[in-house]
Amino acid sequence: MTQKRRKKVSKRSASLFSQSAWQPPQILTTPIEILTPDQIEDIHNRTLSFLQTDGIEVLSNSVQSLLKSLGAEVNSTTNMVKFDSALLIDLISKAPSSFKLHARNPQRSVNIGGNSNVFMTVASAPNASDLAGGRRPGNYEDFKNLTRLSQSLNVVHAFGGYPVEPTDLPANTRHLDCINDLITLSDKAYRLYAIGAQRIRDGLEMTRIAHGLQDSDLDNNVVAFTNININSPLRIDGAMLDGLVAASERNQAVIITPFTLSGAMAPITLAGALLQQNIEALAGIAITQAVRPGSPVVYGCFTSNVDMKSGAPAFGTPEYVRAAYAGGQLARRYKIPYRSSNANASNAVDAQASYESSFSLQGAIMGGANIIQHAVGWLEGGLTASFEKMILDAELLQSFVESQKPIDTSEAEFGIDAMRQVGPGGHFFGTEHTLERFETAFYNPILSDWRNFGAWQDAGAPDALQRASAISNEILSQYQPPPLDDSIAEALNAFIARRKEEGGVLDA
Amino acid sequence: MTQKRRKKVSKRSASLFSQSAWQPPQILTTPIEILTPDQIEDIHNRTLSFLQTDGIEVLSNSVQSLLKSLGAEVNSTTNMVKFDSALLIDLISKAPSSFKLHARNPQRSVNIGGNSNVFMTVASAPNASDLAGGRRPGNYEDFKNLTRLSQSLNVVHAFGGYPVEPTDLPANTRHLDCINDLITLSDKAYRLYAIGAQRIRDGLEMTRIAHGLQDSDLDNNVVAFTNININSPLRIDGAMLDGLVAASERNQAVIITPFTLSGAMAPITLAGALLQQNIEALAGIAITQAVRPGSPVVYGCFTSNVDMKSGAPAFGTPEYVRAAYAGGQLARRYKIPYRSSNANASNAVDAQASYESSFSLQGAIMGGANIIQHAVGWLEGGLTASFEKMILDAELLQSFVESQKPIDTSEAEFGIDAMRQVGPGGHFFGTEHTLERFETAFYNPILSDWRNFGAWQDAGAPDALQRASAISNEILSQYQPPPLDDSIAEALNAFIARRKEEGGVLDA
C-alpha cells in the first residue's frame, strides 16, 4: 500500500460514522418456504370456511352496512360479519400486488411489493432511552431527535410511525405537530395514525401541501400509509375502522396487522395462530377493497408467542421466525405485499437485543417481507425506542442487505495473476489487484470494532452499547434538515394554526 | 391455568438453566444458492486449470513421492506439485459423501455429511476469559472447565479441538493430558491435532483404548478427526502433512481448511478468495485420497475478509456470509461434507459478538454446513475462548435449530374450537387447548430474559453477559463426569505414564 493511499484510509477512519449509500431496498434471496403448498392451501381453505361460518366482529355501523350491501351476512346485534367465500375471494383479488409510496423527496419514494424490501423506523414506543439519560416516558424532544437520527440513516427508508410517543404534547393536536416534524425534519415517507378519521384527513392534507399536490391528485398518488391493528382475537375496533376508511377512500395505503400473540390473543399453536392471523388479515384486506377496489393494502404478520411463565410477549423466538416465513408464503398466496417486523424483548441493548433482532430480521428478510416495521430502534417488546438500538439495527440491516448480494465472478475478479505474483506463503497486501480495490472491496461497518484487544483496551474497552451511543451523538451533532420550500413551510404552519384554533381532533 | 399447573411452571423457572434435549443434528433448510450453476462450474474449471498449470506447494518429500507415483508432476526443488485434471478428479471422486464419527458413548456418535449439521466447540484459543476473571493466557484449569461446560451443553455435539490451549502444560506431552481429559470429562467425539504424526498416533491409541477396540478395528471405525489448515496462499506445510498422512492412513477423518482471508492470504475479491479456497481444498482432499482412497475428508471454508484499515481479520461480515453460502455449494459440487465456523471479531461478549456470530451461523447453517467449528465459545477472532460466549452461542444454536423446524398443521393444532370458545376480544390463557400444551408449546430459552422492565430492574438489571456468567457458573457447579470403566481409565493412565516416560513427542 502506498503512503498516499494509507493516509486516505486513516483519514476516513477518523470519523466515528460512515454508512452505506441510500439504495433501492431489494429482496435478493429466494424466500424460505417452511409450509408446503398443501399446508398453505389448507390454511387458505380453513380461513374461507371460518369467515363464512363464524365471521369476525366489525365494530362500525357504516362498515357493516357497506359489507352488507356487497352481500356479506351482518348481525347488527353481535356485530359479527360473515363473508361468503366467493365474495371474500373477489374482494381480495382486487388488491394491487405492488404500489409506489411517494415521499416529498422523489428520491426517497419506495416501491412496496414485488422484490422491494422497505425498512421503517420503530413506531409508537411509550418510552425513549439512551445510555446517558436512561429510560424515560416518551417526550417531544426525544421524538424530534429520533426523527433526526432516522432521517440521517440511509438504511431507513420510511417512518413506521412516531418513533416515540411525545406524551408531553396534547393528544388532540399531537398529530399536527408530529406530522409537521416528519415533513420538516425528514424527506422520507411516513405513516399517519388511524385513531379515527380526522387524524388521517389532517395528515393527508398536510402531506398534500408538502408534496405540492392538488387535492384530486391524492387519489392517484399514494403519499402516506396507515397501520390497522386487529384487536385479536377476531375484533376490528371502531376507531381503527374509521381510520381505515379515511385512508382507503383516498387510495392511500393500509397495513392490516393481526395482533396474534400465540398463547394469549391467538391459539398456543403456530398453526392456530397463523390460521387466525390469516382470517383477520383477509377480513381487514377485504374491507379496504370494499371501501375502494384497487386501493393499496399490505398483509401484516406480527405473530409471535408469549412467555407462558409470565404471560409477557416474546420476540425473535424460533416461533417468531417460523411465523415470519409462513406469513410471507400466505401473503404471496394472495399476491399482496407483506409486512413483518424487527422485534425483540430485551430490556437492554445487549447480546440478547442483538440476537433477537437478528432472528427477527432473518425471519422477515428470508420470509420475503416487503415492509419491515420497527426495523430500527425497537427495544423491550416495543415499550422503548432506543437511540443506541437504532445504530445497532442500522448495522444489522446494512449487513443483511450486503450479505445477500450476488458474487461478481467476472474475469478480473478472480485475481489469478495476483495469486501467481504472490505465490506460496506470500501475502496480497501490496499487489496491484489489492491496491486497485482496497478502499471499496469490503463492507464498511457502522458499529463493529475490529481493533485488536490491546488497542481496544487502551481506548477504554468500549462495548457495542457505548460505541453506539457515541455514534448516535455524533450523527445528531452533524444533523442538517433536508431542504423545504418556504412556501410549503408557511402553508403547513397556516394549516396547523387553523386546526389548533379549531381544537384539533375534538373527540380525542 | 390451574393452580397446580402454575406451581409446576414456577418450579421449573427457579433453576437458572434449562436446555433442549440432545437431538441428532440436522439441516432442515434448503441451502441458499448465491452462485449460479454456471458460476460454480467456472470456479471448478479454473481450479482444475490452476492446479494443472501452476500447482501448489507441498512441503513433504514422502507426500511428493506418493503423488508423483500416481502421475502428478513434482518439482522437488520448488516443492510445487501440479495435478493433471483427470488425476485430480479421479482422486476427489474417491472421497466418501458421508461417514459416521464415533464417540466413546455411542449415543454421542454423529453422522458427518448429508443433512447432518454437527456443532463443535471453539478450538485452540490462546486465551480464556470469563466475567469474574477477565482475559488470561490459556491454562489447564480453564481447559478442563471449558471441557466440562461443553460436555454439559446438549447442543454441542463434539470437540473441535482443545477449547483453549493449556499453555502451562509442556508442549511435548500436552496432547496426552488433554486427550485424557476429553475422554474422561466428556463422552463426545473430539479432534486430534495434526502437528506431526506422533500426536495423531498417540491420540488414536488413547481413543482405541477408550472405545474398547482392537487396533485393527480403527481402520473400519472413524473415531477421531483432525483439521489441516492450509498455509494460504498455496502452501501445505510439513508438520500438517505428516499429521494428515497419520490420520488418513488409519481411515480417520481429515478436515481440509484453506486459510483464505481475503485481502491478506487470498485475493481481495470474493471470487478470487473462493477460487483460491477451492484450489487449496481440492489439493488437500486429493492428498487424503492418495494416502488412502475412500478415507473420510471434509471440505473446509474459512474464507473471510480483513479490515483493510488495520489488516486485522474480520468475521461474521457480509463477505463471510456470502463465502459460507458459496463454500457449501462448492463442497456439494464434489459431494464432500462441508465445514464452516461460528466466528466473530468482537473483544467483548456484547451486541457485536452476538450479531457477528448470528451472521456467521446464518451463513453456515443456510449454507448447508455439515460441521460448524467454533460453534460455541469463540471470541475475539479466535484469540479467546469465553465461558459466557459459550452460553450465548448455545442459545443461538438452539434457536437456529428450532426456527427451521416444520410447522405441525394437523387438525387439532389449528385450535378452531378454542377460537370459537374464546370469541372476539377474549384471550386464550385458560382454554383447554392452551392448558394441554403450555408446558412444551414454545422454545424455552437458555439466556433470554423476558421479565418486564420493572422486574428486571428490581433484579439488578442484569444484561445478557451477566446472566451468561451466572448460568455458566451454575452449570459448572452441577457438572458430573460421564461414566467410564475403571479398566479403561487404568489403561489410559498406563499408556500416558509410558509415553511421558519416553518423553512424549520428541521433536516438539
Side-chain angles (χ1 to χ4, degrees), chain A residues 39 46 54 233 264 269 319 322 350-352 354-355 406-407 409 411 413 420 425 428 443 448-449 464 467, chain B residues 39 46 54 233 264 269 319 322 350-352 354-355 405-407 409 411 413 420 425 428 443 448-449 464 467:
Chain A
Q39 285 182 307
R46 288 173 189 273
D54 296 82
T269 49
E319 290 77 19
R322 293 153 83 207
D350 62 358
Q352 179 183 339
S354 187
Y355 65 73
I407 296 173
T409 56
E411 181 70 31
E413 287 289 292
R420 287 179 176 141
F428 288 78
Y443 169 69
S448 297
D449 187 333
R467 299 196 305 273
Chain B
Q39 285 182 306
R46 288 174 189 273
D54 296 83
T269 50
E319 290 77 19
R322 293 154 82 207
D350 62 357
Q352 180 184 339
S354 187
Y355 67 71
K405 287 190 172 169
I407 295 173
T409 55
E411 181 69 30
E413 287 289 292
R420 287 178 176 142
F428 288 78
Y443 169 69
S448 297
D449 187 333
R467 298 195 307 273

Side-chain angles (χ1 to χ4, degrees), chain B residues 333-416:
Chain B
R333 162 71 178 74
Y334 303 112
K335 299 187 172 59
I336 293 174
Y338 173 49
R339 172 245 155 135
S340 184
S341 307
N342 172 11
N344 72 91
S346 184
N347 288 304
V349 183
D350 62 357
Q352 180 184 339
S354 187
Y355 67 71
E356 287 185 338
S357 270
S358 292
F359 281 119
S360 290
L361 283 174
Q362 187 215 305
I365 290 175
M366 307 238 161
N370 301 112
I371 291 177
I372 300 182
Q373 283 269 34
H374 312 300
V376 293
W378 155 304
L379 196 66
E380 201 199 311
L383 294 178
T384 291
S386 156
F387 286 79
E388 289 85 14
K389 182 67 166 32
M390 278 207 174
I391 304 301
L392 167 59
D393 286 329
E395 182 79 286
L396 296 181
L397 291 166
Q398 287 194 169
S399 298
F400 260 110
V401 169
E402 291 298 316
S403 65
Q404 304 308 315
K405 287 190 172 169
I407 295 173
D408 181 357
T409 55
S410 55
E411 181 69 30
E413 287 289 292
F414 281 111
I416 293 172

Side-chain angles (χ1 to χ4, degrees), chain B residues 22-232:
Chain B
W22 171 278
Q23 49 193 319
Q26 247 192 312
I27 298 171
L28 294 166
T29 308
T30 308
I32 287 179
E33 309 214 323
I34 197 161
L35 295 174
T36 64
D38 283 352
Q39 285 182 306
I40 296 171
E41 287 314 293
D42 188 21
I43 294 174
H44 169 69
N45 289 325
R46 288 174 189 273
T47 300
L48 295 187
S49 163
F50 193 93
L51 281 170
Q52 182 163 298
T53 309
D54 296 83
I56 189 166
E57 197 180 61
V58 176
L59 295 177
S60 158
N61 291 335
S62 60
V63 173
Q64 285 180 17
S65 300
L66 170 66
L67 294 173
K68 192 171 181 178
S69 74
L70 294 171
E73 184 186 327
V74 175
N75 182 327
S76 57
T77 309
T78 63
N79 295 307
M80 294 301 283
V81 174
K82 298 179 185 176
F83 291 84
D84 175 81
S85 294
L87 169 65
L88 189 81
I89 287 173
D90 181 57
L91 286 171
I92 297 296
S93 70
K94 295 183 195 302
S97 60
S98 69
F99 58 90
K100 186 166 190 171
L101 174 63
H102 293 271
R104 73 170 179 87
N105 175 353
Q107 294 186 311
R108 305 295 190 207
S109 298
V110 288
N111 288 315
I112 306 286
N115 73 344
S116 188
N117 184 8
V118 173
F119 303 143
M120 298 187 178
T121 62
V122 57
S124 320
N127 302 288
S129 81
D130 63 8
L131 189 58
R135 182 184 191 257
R136 60 260 179 183
N139 62 76
Y140 191 41
E141 196 53 36
D142 282 327
F143 166 84
K144 285 189 286 189
N145 279 328
L146 287 164
T147 299
R148 292 181 181 112
L149 189 55
S150 305
Q151 166 67 13
S152 305
L153 293 168
N154 287 334
V155 81
V156 175
H157 304 117
F159 284 79
Y162 311 155
V164 70
E165 274 296 331
T167 54
D168 48 349
L169 293 183
N172 57 330
T173 57
R174 186 183 298 166
H175 65 293
L176 301 170
D177 293 314
C178 288
I179 296 166
N180 190 46
D181 291 327
L182 290 173
I183 292 170
T184 55
L185 300 178
S186 166
D187 59 359
K188 299 174 182 177
Y190 47 82
R191 160 181 171 192
L192 307 175
Y193 279 83
I195 315 164
Q198 192 57 49
R199 286 180 180 79
I200 297 283
R201 290 188 185 132
D202 286 343
L204 277 180
E205 177 60 10
M206 293 177 72
T207 307
R208 183 194 68 71
I209 294 168
H211 286 240
L213 298 175
Q214 300 298 313
D215 184 69
S216 59
D217 293 336
L218 284 182
D219 298 85
N220 303 315
N221 288 284
V222 183
V223 293
F225 67 98
T226 190
N227 183 79
I228 303 296
N229 281 335
I230 309 292
N231 277 14
S232 302

Side-chain angles (χ1 to χ4, degrees), chain A residues 254-266:
Chain A
V254 174
I255 304 173
I256 304 288
T257 308
F259 214 80
T260 34
L261 291 179
S262 181
M265 291 89 110

Side-chain angles (χ1 to χ4, degrees), chain A residues 375-398:
Chain A
V376 294
W378 155 305
L379 196 66
E380 201 200 309
L383 295 178
T384 291
S386 157
F387 285 79
E388 290 85 13
K389 182 68 166 30
M390 278 207 175
I391 304 302
L392 168 58
D393 286 328
E395 181 80 285
L396 295 181
L397 291 166
Q398 287 195 170

